[in-house]
Amino acid sequence: MGRRLLFLGPQGVGKGTQAAKVAQLIGVPHVSTGDMLRQAVAEGTDLGMQAKALMEAGDLVPDELVVAMVKERFAKPDALCGYLLDGFPRNQAQAEALDVAMNGEAIELVISMTADEDELLRRMQERAEREGRSDDTPEAMKRRLALYWDETAPLTEYYPTQQVRVAAVDGMGTIDEVFHRIVAAIAELDP
Ligand code: ADP
């Protein structure tokens, strides 16, 4: 059965890696707004041209652009039976737009990944060296992390008010250890 899951977590927590593995395991599309925006930038679409400078500075792309992009993604047939959201919503306004776009359905579980600050910084640095993403400059990394704590982390308090369960998952340890923690949290959902 399809699932509607949402992953939250600061930069460096390993969210993208785990989201991709979990989506594959449960057979739902991994909807990563960061990946979709990077693809739009690479293709030079209108959206990509509007997003590029903002992304490089570590700022958010305007809500209306990201919301329109996600709605378009939801309309594709593979998303009809579920999806795993990664990188969206990133603030309260996006969360409310998502509620509307879901048309009476609800997120079944929010996986909120955590790790200590030193480990986050270490992993971000490591990724910057490995991947060379254009927004992995020290300033943009700092900006993204600050925006996460200010605008995204409060969503872990919003969802319980909407009767959506939030599972806190420790992101410290090996990729497999963290993966098993997430799978266990999902297994607790009703079949
Ligand atoms: P990270 O988790 O390291 O910040 P992402 O791939 O999730 O990486 O996002 C990269 C960039 O893409 C963000 O800094 C932002 O500019 C843009 N972006 C991604 N998702 C959103 C979103 N939901 N709303 C606004 N901007 C977004």
Side-chain angles (χ1 to χ4, degrees):
M1 192 192 96
R3 290 278 183 210
R4 292 179 299 276
L5 305 177
L6 196 162
F7 273 49
L8 291 178
Q11 288 73 10
V13 80
K15 178 169 56 74
T17 303
Q18 296 295 341
K21 281 172 68 77
V22 172
Q24 195 185 19
L25 176 76
I26 65 179
V28 297
H30 173 204
V31 177
S32 159
T33 48
D35 286 351
M36 290 159 78
L37 288 167
R38 275 184 289 280
Q39 192 181 345
V41 170
E43 288 172 356
T45 64
D46 278 351
L47 171 64
M49 287 192 285
Q50 292 178 78
K52 190 171 189 286
L54 292 165
M55 291 174 73
E56 281 174 359
D59 280 318
L60 293 187
V61 174
D63 293 340
E64 57 274 21
L65 296 181
V66 177
V67 168
M69 181 178 81
V70 170
K71 280 190 184 160
E72 220 173 275
R73 183 67 188 80
F74 278 1
K76 295 197 176 153
D78 66 337
L80 288 177
C81 298
Y83 37 79
L84 187 163
L85 288 170
D86 167 8
F88 179 91
R90 236 177 173 85
N91 58 31
Q92 180 72 29
Q94 292 184 8
E96 287 170 12
L98 173 63
D99 293 342
V100 174
M102 288 181 69
N103 229 340
E105 295 196 312
I107 293 292
E108 292 169 277
L109 181 66
V110 175
I111 300 284
S112 170
M113 297 179 63
T114 56
D116 58 50
E117 191 87 16
D118 286 351
E119 179 68 6
L120 295 178
L121 293 171
R122 197 188 62 73
R123 289 188 192 167
M124 279 179 93
Q125 191 57 43
E126 200 180 78
R127 184 181 75 187
E129 284 161 22
R130 191 179 62 235
E131 292 177 13
R133 244 169 68 174
S134 58
D135 61 349
D136 276 346
T137 61
E139 298 74 30
M141 287 194 280
K142 236 175 101 184
R143 175 85 183 128
R144 272 150 53 216
L145 207 47
L147 278 173
Y148 179 81
W149 296 119
D150 283 355
E151 299 196 23
T152 312
L155 296 178
T156 57
E157 280 149 43
Y158 168 70
Y159 278 105
T161 71
Q162 306 301 107
Q163 283 70 53
V164 175
R165 202 183 325 171
V166 177
V169 172
D170 182 3
M172 302 290 285
T174 66
I175 290 178
D176 270 357
E177 282 164 357
V178 178
F179 180 62
H180 286 116
R181 287 178 202 139
I182 296 172
V183 171
I186 294 170
E188 283 180 19
L189 290 171
D190 296 330

